[in-house]
Amino acid sequence: MTEEVGKTIPLKRLVPGLIIGPAAWLGPYIVAASLFLPTLIQKIDAGNKIELVALFSTCGMIVAAISNMVAGYFSDRTYSKYGQRTPWLLGGAFAFMLTMILASFANTIPYLLIVWMISQVALNFIVAPMVAWIDMAPEDGKATASSAYGGLGMALGNNGFSIFGAMLLGQFRLGFIIFGIITFVGTLIAVLIVKEPSNLNDKAAISKKEKTAKEKTTLKDLKNVFPSWKIGRDYYLALAGKLLQGIGNFAITGYLLYIMTDFMGKNTSGAQGYIQIVNTIMLVFGISKGFLAGPLSDKYKLLKYPIALSTLCLAAGALSIFFFRNDASIWIYGLMAGLGMGIWNSLDNLLNLEVIPDKERVAFFLGVYNLGNTVTQAFAPVIAAFVISVFGFSAIFIVSFAFALLGGICIMSIKSVKR
């Protein structure tokens, strides 16, 4: 197994790669999952759109969870001239591009579902290896690397691409193709900038006997795959916090198109405009916090508190729409959610590095942790669909508030990170 300690990539190469890379995979995925996929489902079977979005989300969640762990496992055990992560990044990005192109031709739900599931596998072979780049930053630059990945790269992915994606709602089939190509080209650019070093010497340094013993133990003993609560307590709390916060966030953003049309009464043109406004506000806050959160965290030695605070911002944003239900509430939501997600995305990966239970399996544990970026977006609409069908659209804002609040409680319960 590769030992990453002592292997570093200069920040002048790593930071641009950690901005472009996550933006390139997360942006197209967000746009496809929250805008193009619901629009295509509505076109194919409008009468069952809510239930079908939930079905796609459920299946996607299962496939994403499995493929992410598999991707992390194999990435940690890869030896190549181009490093551990690069071969999987490029392969996953190319496969994701192909699935987006295939999705653009879908005219039946079964065909679309199969293609979408394959895309989830491909996507997670980008997610798990790429986030492990953060651990290759110099020791005194890990907060900067985390901010680059989460605060800047993911801010661009979460919100920046949605502004452009909303413009293509009327040409959503073309949108699938364009954003699929963006994923591959963006990932390729990130890989070329980072220039991950070869790790072939690591393979030569580890005897075949030792390597085999380690892998057999990992595969046969579940305790070594997922440590006990006593060992991995803080990691599990951080993971639970991310999952809960993510559900709170995506319960709204995953149905933002339908919220604008079915709840707020906007027509397609009006919904497009407000989606762009919300995402523009969140993008500005996300980028600003990406520049500030990491350096301020290093300076004042604060990590747990600001992350917990970010969940309160998300909770407050959700309540604003529930109570006011007007155009102003959309602006308030954009401001509060933008502030919360900006802080969260900047620092949560650094928090996970602090509580990771096994530094020899960085890609695996970071990959599982970052399932929060895909699994929650898949799982949140399932919860939202149930709540909408039983209580109506307004209830999803209470659900968002509750999950975000529970996420903050989990973060504050972490003991190894004091503040």
Side-chain angles (χ1 to χ4, degrees), residues 70-107:
V70 171
Y73 179 87
F74 283 114
S75 175
D76 282 333
R77 287 157 180 78
T78 295
Y79 301 91
S80 81
K81 178 181 177 181
Y82 305 102
Q84 289 179 297
R85 320 302 177 188
T86 297
W88 299 104
L89 291 172
L90 293 180
F94 185 74
F96 183 78
M97 176 181 68
L98 290 181
T99 57
M100 290 297 98
I101 294 172
L102 291 173
S104 71
F105 294 101
N107 289 304

Side-chain angles (χ1 to χ4, degrees), residues 135-194:
D135 198 48
M136 299 186 78
E139 198 59 39
D140 59 354
K142 289 192 185 297
T144 300
S146 178
S147 284
Y149 183 93
L152 296 174
M154 293 188 68
L156 288 170
N158 270 312
N159 308 115
F161 283 72
S162 294
I163 298 169
F164 177 43
M167 298 178 186
L168 292 173
L169 273 176
Q171 297 176 287
F172 61 88
R173 292 186 186 274
L174 176 62
F176 275 112
I177 298 173
I178 291 174
F179 280 91
I181 294 172
I182 287 173
T183 292
F184 178 70
V185 173
T187 302
L188 177 61
I189 292 172
V191 163
L192 292 174
I193 291 173
V194 170

Side-chain angles (χ1 to χ4, degrees), residues 16 26 43 47 53 69 82 105 131 146 177-178 186 218 235 255 284 296 310 317 331 337 355 358 364 400 407:
L26 181 60
K43 184 175 180 64
V53 169
M69 289 185 285
Y82 305 102
F105 294 101
V131 71
S146 178
I177 298 173
I178 291 174
T218 301
Y235 173 80
Y255 277 99
V284 170
L296 289 175
S310 72
W331 286 79
V355 299
D358 184 354
F364 177 82
S400 176

